[in-house]
């Protein structure tokens, strides 16, 4: 098609296609959160296990990247390490620094600082606090058992018993 000026015209591209990928919606927020901790590359956070290896990633997590105030070369990477594994990670620091710098593409990290923590300090090992539940008396247990006796399905019966137990043991506020 030719326009009045003799130029070829093409149909305009659609700017929105309806649905957007989740990654594109979250990319700016993840980048902002990472940059607040000094991570210019969020890849260091998201692909930590691939960068340093599964063995190191299971006991160490990157916490922040700090830059020297007086213009020193390189940054300091702070790792959160499970307490007993700190000496093992300490021995692997040159290899970790080499791999992290390879991920950045240049010598971005010059030092690595290790901070020890308890084994339950990692997100996947944490369990939320649950207050101790009171136990049911014999009469409450018998009443609960008779209430679900008419149910034939074993899975449903078990679920109803669990629900009843949770309701009866819930702390009154």
């Amino acid at each position: 098609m030719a326009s009045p000026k003799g130029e070829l015209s093409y149909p305009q591209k659609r700017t929105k296609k309806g649905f957007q990928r989740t990654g594109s919606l979250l990319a700016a927020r993840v980048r902002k959160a990472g940059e607040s901790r000094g991570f210019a590359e969020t890849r260091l956070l998201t692909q930590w296990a691939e960068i340093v290896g599964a063995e190191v990633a299971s006991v160490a997590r990157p916490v922040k990247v700090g830059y020297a105030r007086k213009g020193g070369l390189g940054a300091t990477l702070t790792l959160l390490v499970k307490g007993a594994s700190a000496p093992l990670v300490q021995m692997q620091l040159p290899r970790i620094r080499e791999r992290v710098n390879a991920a950045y593409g240049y010598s971005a990290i010059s030092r690595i600082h290790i901070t020890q923590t308890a084994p339950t300090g990692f997100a996947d090992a944490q369990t939320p606090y649950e207050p101790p539940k009171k136990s049911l008396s014999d009469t409450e247990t018998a009443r609960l058992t008779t209430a679900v006796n008419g149910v034939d399905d074993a899975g449903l019966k078990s679920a109803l018993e669990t629900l009843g137990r949770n309701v009866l043991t819930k702390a009154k506020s």
Side-chain angles (χ1 to χ4, degrees):
M1 282 184 171
S3 68
K5 296 181 183 177
E7 300 170 355
L8 292 177
S9 65
Y10 296 99
Q12 288 185 345
K13 283 187 170 181
R14 285 179 40 177
T15 56
K16 300 262 183 183
K17 294 182 181 178
F19 294 105
Q20 291 181 340
R21 292 184 177 187
T22 306
S24 67
L25 295 172
L26 297 176
R29 290 184 180 171
V30 170
R31 186 177 61 248
K32 185 178 178 182
E35 288 173 353
S36 70
R37 292 273 189 166
F39 291 102
E41 290 284 329
T42 56
R43 180 177 36 183
L44 189 62
L45 295 172
T46 58
Q47 298 176 353
W48 178 247
E50 290 85 18
I51 292 172
V52 296
E55 182 181 329
V56 174
S58 66
V59 295
R61 299 271 169 92
V63 177
K64 73 175 187 175
V65 176
Y67 298 94
R69 292 189 178 163
K70 297 192 179 191
L73 296 175
T76 302
L77 172 65
T78 303
L79 296 179
L80 189 62
V81 180
K82 294 180 183 178
S85 302
L88 299 173
V89 173
Q90 182 74 35
M91 290 188 308
Q92 297 179 9
L93 286 184
R95 187 175 69 91
I96 294 170
R97 183 174 40 250
E98 181 180 298
R99 286 181 166 214
V100 168
N101 286 334
Y104 273 106
Y106 65 99
S107 186
I109 305 296
S110 61
R111 293 170 301 284
I112 298 179
H113 178 75
I114 293 178
T115 302
Q116 293 181 341
T117 185
T120 58
F122 283 62
D124 49 85
Q126 288 182 343
T127 55
Y129 172 75
E130 291 184 24
K133 292 187 176 185
K134 71 171 196 166
S135 59
L136 293 178
S137 66
D138 292 336
T139 58
E140 290 174 323
T141 305
R143 202 171 79 204
L144 180 62
T145 304
T146 56
V148 296
N149 266 348
V151 179
D152 293 332
D153 185 19
L156 179 60
K157 186 175 186 176
S158 172
L160 288 173
E161 283 179 354
T162 303
L163 176 65
R165 190 172 308 280
N166 289 339
V167 168
L168 291 173
T169 58
K170 183 176 178 184
K172 310 264 191 266
S173 57

